[in-house]
Amino acid sequence: MPTFLDPQKLRDPTAGARYLLGAVIERRLDDGTILKGRIAETESYHQSDPASHTYRGPSARNAAMFGPPGHAYIYFTYGVHWCFNVTAGVEGEGAGVLIRAIEPLAGIERMREFRKGAPDAQLTNGPGKLAQALAIDKMLYGHDLRQPPLQVYDAGNVKASSITTATRIGIRLAADELLRFYITDSPYVSKK
DNA sequence: GATAAGATTAACT
DNA sequence: GTTAATCTTATCC
């Protein structure tokens, strides 16, 4: 029996970002195909963080992050890419964890189709890439991650000694904060 | 109503 | 290393 995420462990978004490393994302496509991936890299965003979409308070865009933890916050950026986050914090608090990279575990053939042309090593090693590989878009905005067709399972903790802490990628504000975490020896990390 | 910037990626030179 | 792609949201008129 797979174990679902414990929302209690997402109440602190930074502890939640560490907790989500090693967790397994399961995506069920409309035709029944199952895609799976192990989370290899995450970033934490909290409400008093100038780099967070929730910094200026609730809005239509960021509403999911102010809801209960363990749901999907999905946003579109640079006119091109969808990015997938797991909501964190307590209800009413705007926080989330960006999933930056996963290791493909199942359904890799389908991921190659969705990521047309990309070599295997670059299938899911970035936030926009993994969303494309798993066919995640705004249809899943606010989705409860305990329910199909998009679920996240707790696969046991990754050893603290195998987690690397680093600065976040692609942000302008609070760029020095060490709020990015990745599995040190994973080949699917977006950037060392 | 208009405009600037963005939690990115891929295709260039 | 540089830049285009492409569009939503926020933040102003």
Side-chain angles (χ1 to χ4, degrees):
Chain A
M1 256 315 253
T3 308
F4 286 116
L5 288 181
D6 179 357
Q8 291 292 318
K9 294 185 177 176
L10 295 170
R11 295 191 353 148
D12 175 65
T14 300
R18 290 174 167 278
Y19 169 59
L20 284 170
L21 286 178
V24 173
I25 300 174
E26 181 172 317
R27 170 76 166 113
R28 177 190 294 271
L29 301 178
D30 289 344
D31 68 2
T33 304
I34 299 292
L35 309 179
K36 286 189 192 178
R38 175 176 182 248
I39 297 175
E41 183 179 12
T42 60
E43 282 181 2
S44 167
Y45 290 87
H46 58 92
Q47 196 171 347
S48 54
D49 170 6
S52 173
H53 292 162
T54 57
Y55 184 59
R56 294 166 201 282
S59 71
R61 180 199 199 190
N62 65 26
M65 281 199 281
F66 286 90
H71 289 234
Y73 167 56
I74 295 164
Y75 67 91
F76 191 66
T77 192
Y78 291 101
V80 188
H81 306 288
W82 293 100
C83 294
F84 169 58
N85 300 246
V86 176
T87 61
V90 296
E91 192 160 351
E93 175 192 359
V97 177
L98 172 67
I99 308 304
R100 283 198 60 89
I102 63 173
E103 301 170 358
L105 296 178
I108 297 178
E109 298 80 10
R110 265 334 250 296
M111 294 189 201
R112 289 195 189 105
E113 289 177 27
F114 288 129
R115 294 274 304 124
K116 191 169 56 177
D120 280 10
Q122 292 166 38
L123 235 38
T124 55
N125 65 336
K129 299 178 194 181
L130 74 89
Q132 185 181 24
L134 297 178
I136 292 174
D137 66 16
K138 69 180 175 191
M139 295 298 293
L140 291 163
Y141 184 93
H143 176 75
D144 181 345
L145 295 171
R146 290 170 302 190
Q147 303 291 332
L150 181 63
Q151 293 161 280
V152 179
Y153 297 110
D154 182 342
N157 288 334
V158 171
K159 281 186 305 182
S161 61
S162 64
I163 296 175
T164 300
T165 301
T167 54
R168 293 176 293 181
I169 306 278
I171 55 171
R172 187 169 51 89
L173 302 171
D176 295 335
E177 298 280 343
L178 294 169
L179 294 176
R180 180 164 69 101
F181 307 95
Y182 61 85
I183 297 174
T184 308
D185 55 12
S186 174
Y188 285 90
V189 166
S190 66
K191 188 182 174 196
K192 304 273 180 182

